[in-house]
Amino acid sequence: MAKKFQNFINGKWVDAKSGKTFENRNPANWDEIVGTFPKSGKEDVDEAVKAARLAFEKWRLVPAPKRGDIMRKVGDLMVERKEELARQMTREMGKVLAETRGDVQEGIDTAYYASSEGRRLFGHTVPSELPNKFNMAMRVPIGVAGVVTPWNFPMAIPTWKIFPALLCGNTVVFKPASDTPATATSLVEILVDAGVPEGVINIVHGGGGEVGMGIVGHPDVDLVSFTGSTEVGKKISEVAASTLKRVSLELGGKNAQLVMADADLHLALDGVLWGAFGTTGQRCTATSRLLLHEKVFNEFMKMLVDRVAKLKLGDGLLEGVDVGPCVNQGQQDTVKSYVEIGLKEGARIAFGGAVPKDPALARGWFHEPTIFVDVQPHHRIAKEEIFGPVLSVIKIASLEEGIRVMNDTIYGLSSSVYTKNVNDAYTAIRDIQAGITYINAPTIGAEAHMPFGGVKQTGNGHREGGWTVYDFFSEWKTVYVDYSGGLQRAQIDNYDK
Ligand code: UN1
């Protein structure tokens, strides 16, 4: 019997009101069921929002350092359960153990950061233009936060949103991806065990249409934080517009690594392998374009193909495996269809391009790491987010051309430049249109205490991570205290005419 999981609403574990369920399977071996989960609907969202609204009235009054103490406990519990959480995550979404451990660690880092923020949450005191008057601006909680998250970072991304939301004094209704509901459930267990009061954290499992959009459109949800595709992000923006709720969107990417002729090619090689094929390319920060200087093109391509051939595909729980499966059949189909599109457009496969024939991989959603050459900047495989192990290589002749091609996309999340020339590095930092730029490091590897997010259609201007996410989850309240004992009119009484 597969393990049965439940929603958590108002401090209680409950089934969907309809009694419906869905299954979650291991993508490396689809015969293995990770669990069954409630297939919730509007009525479950309503209950969760009602509970969160009620709980907000008490939670907002808990001193922020106290909320921070709970976050420290959350971090401690995650440390204790790190290995178990990583194994559960690999089973339900396929990335290799070293990476799922990293994913949990990102959550731990976020918890301790949130804990310490409980004793900061700084505001401003500002001199008044009038005598005997005190001005300040302080952060206040907003209300009920809807958190809708993807499957590729099943622990890290929910923590990026939920921990700062709670620390700021908001309550949360959480809808995790239906490919990774078990990890999400463990996170909620940890929050409860650490002492988050009832109604403050609620989880509702189910589909994006019913549950996700149900949360986004709910009139009593004050803010929404979403990570996922640009297409869904646009729909969320539209639905949220009807109630003017605050929305933070972290969306697609078409990130490029630029390798200049003077680069340390071995370093650049390690970088592109990790950036393109880590997490099976299923990161919004994944390297999906390699912009290679013509002077080192042949040499680097040879090194790249040699090394990619050595990557071992398999079940991420096994020792020595480098690349896991795609998360589900839909994702594998997308990768297959982009391989066809690339070939039709005139690109050539330098490596991979197929579903592996190895019988040991026959019951998982695997796809070979795939490298395209002869890619033109206007090709669809150079422009569209694939979210799989596919790298498009484009030849460039100068830094200017490299940056121009890099920027020629609707997205702007991450970027990377390999060069030893400090002038080129700083020119690239100035001119690349992306929220994140790495010098001599791959496009993946964001740290929890730094702002994370992108420009153009990668988002809508907010940043997660670091100190910046606290701006999204709190509202500024401006306060004037006049202790002069008389009416003082700003802009009028302090000027002659
Ligand atoms: C994502 O791909 O959605 O920088 C997030 C990175 C990770 C986070 C990725 N720390 O690749």
Side-chain angles (χ1 to χ4, degrees):
M1 265 292 275
K3 185 166 173 204
K4 184 177 161 222
F5 290 77
Q6 292 180 298
N7 289 334
F8 188 70
I9 297 175
N10 205 18
K12 286 180 199 67
W13 293 101
V14 290
D15 294 332
K17 279 193 191 298
S18 67
K20 288 187 193 156
T21 58
F22 66 93
E23 278 175 2
N24 179 27
R25 286 172 185 261
N26 179 346
N29 172 16
W30 59 59
D31 295 328
E32 185 184 321
I33 300 176
V34 176
T36 63
F37 296 83
K39 193 169 191 308
S40 313
K42 185 181 173 306
E43 58 287 6
D44 304 295
V45 172
D46 284 346
E47 283 285 299
V49 174
K50 206 165 87 193
R53 172 60 53 197
L54 206 69
F56 175 63
E57 284 314 315
K58 278 195 194 155
W59 183 243
R60 71 186 178 88
L61 300 177
V62 173
K66 264 231 133 45
R67 298 194 292 251
D69 289 346
I70 295 178
M71 285 303 139
R72 191 179 57 241
K73 189 86 200 289
V74 168
D76 292 347
L77 291 172
M78 289 178 79
V79 170
E80 273 173 34
R81 292 182 59 179
K82 181 172 172 181
E83 189 59 21
E84 167 223 334
L85 293 168
R87 286 180 178 274
Q88 177 183 53
M89 194 189 302
T90 296
R91 262 187 84 208
E92 78 169 343
M93 60 71 70
K95 65 183 174 185
V96 301
L97 254 186
E99 292 190 41
T100 51
R101 287 183 189 126
D103 192 321
V104 178
Q105 187 58 45
E106 212 163 324
I108 294 167
D109 298 342
T110 302
Y112 290 139
Y113 191 101
S115 162
S116 66
E117 194 58 26
R119 290 188 182 268
R120 274 189 304 265
L121 272 191
F122 292 141
H124 296 271
T125 62
V126 185
S128 168
E129 65 186 50
L130 291 158
N132 300 323
K133 194 178 168 196
F134 190 90
N135 295 357
M136 58 188 158
M138 59 199 224
R139 293 173 188 276
V140 292
I142 302 177
V144 177
V147 167
V148 182
T149 57
W151 45 262
N152 65 334
F153 276 81
M155 184 60 85
I157 292 179
T159 68
W160 288 0
K161 301 174 190 299
I162 292 172
F163 296 174
L166 295 178
L167 192 278
C168 286
N170 307 288
T171 54
V172 169
V173 178
F174 174 27
K175 199 306 256 184
S178 39
D179 280 304
T180 49
T183 305
T185 304
S186 298
L187 172 59
V188 172
E189 282 168 12
I190 287 169
L191 286 162
V192 173
D193 290 348
V196 171
E198 69 177 35
V200 172
I201 177 75
N202 304 274
I203 185 169
V204 185
H205 294 286
E210 308 77 39
V211 181
M213 281 304 174
I215 292 171
V216 173
H218 201 293
D220 220 15
V221 170
D222 302 285
L223 60 160
V224 168
S225 181
F226 169 76
T227 298
S229 72
T230 293
E231 195 192 337
V232 175
K234 285 180 185 172
K235 282 199 201 114
I236 287 182
S237 260
E238 278 171 30
V239 173
S242 66
T243 49
L244 285 180
K245 52 175 65 82
R246 182 187 278 227
V247 179
S248 171
L249 302 170
E250 288 302 338
L251 310 173
K254 191 70 193 172
N255 317 294
Q257 174 176 319
L258 170 58
V259 179
M260 295 300 292
D262 70 326
D264 176 336
L265 295 188
H266 293 282
L267 191 66
L269 179 64
D270 284 341
V272 73
L273 285 164
W274 176 225
F277 303 118
T279 327
T280 321
Q282 301 173 118
R283 295 196 189 208
C284 51
T285 52
T287 307
S288 59
R289 294 179 296 159
L290 172 65
L291 313 181
L292 201 46
H293 198 283
E294 58 186 11
K295 280 196 193 141
V296 290
F297 191 91
N298 291 340
E299 183 187 354
F300 193 82
M301 279 311 299
K302 192 179 168 321
M303 290 162 65
L304 179 57
V305 169
D306 278 357
R307 276 284 295 280
V308 83
K310 296 198 177 90
L311 291 179
K312 189 169 161 37
L313 251 72
D315 179 341
L317 287 174
L318 301 176
E319 204 61 45
V321 167
D322 300 300
V323 181
C326 300
V327 75
N328 56 34
Q329 184 175 10
Q331 213 59 41
Q332 191 202 41
D333 285 346
T334 304
V335 174
K336 287 200 278 189
S337 76
Y338 272 103
V339 169
E340 276 171 35
I341 290 167
L343 288 170
K344 261 196 215 121
E345 285 179 315
R348 205 162 43 79
I349 289 177
F351 187 85
V355 171
K357 306 230 167 13
D358 182 351
L361 305 179
R363 308 214 45 88
W365 306 118
F366 292 93
H367 195 284
E368 291 171 346
T370 297
I371 301 174
F372 273 108
V373 286
D374 294 347
V375 179
Q376 300 301 317
H378 66 271
H379 285 168
R380 284 181 63 192
I381 55 168
K383 289 223 174 273
E384 297 174 16
E385 182 173 52
I386 299 173
F387 227 67
V390 181
L391 178 69
S392 299
V393 187
I394 301 175
K395 197 186 277 185
I396 52 101
S398 66
L399 179 71
E400 291 65 34
E401 189 191 355
I403 294 174
R404 195 171 60 244
V405 173
M406 191 177 286
N407 289 342
D408 186 16
T409 155
I410 59 165
Y411 301 112
L413 182 55
S414 188
S415 54
S416 145
V417 179
Y418 280 79
T419 178
K420 287 187 195 131
N421 182 320
V422 71
N423 298 349
D424 282 357
Y426 274 92
T427 303
I429 291 170
R430 184 192 63 199
D431 292 342
I432 288 173
Q433 298 162 352
I436 306 168
T437 295
Y438 292 90
I439 303 296
N440 294 328
T443 59
I444 69 178
E447 300 175 23
H449 57 294
M450 295 294 284
F452 181 93
V455 301
K456 301 199 277 189
Q457 292 191 31
T458 288
N460 61 346
H462 295 289
R463 289 291 180 271
E464 307 204 287
W467 58 98
T468 40
V469 70
Y470 292 86
D471 285 332
F472 178 74
F473 284 109
S474 60
E475 198 95 72
W476 283 105
K477 171 170 277 190
T478 304
V479 181
Y480 300 99
V481 180
D482 191 322
Y483 56 99
S484 69
L487 171 69
Q488 300 197 85
R489 297 173 303 174
Q491 296 97 33
I492 297 174
D493 291 335
N494 44 341
Y495 290 94
D496 289 343
K497 28 172 147 27

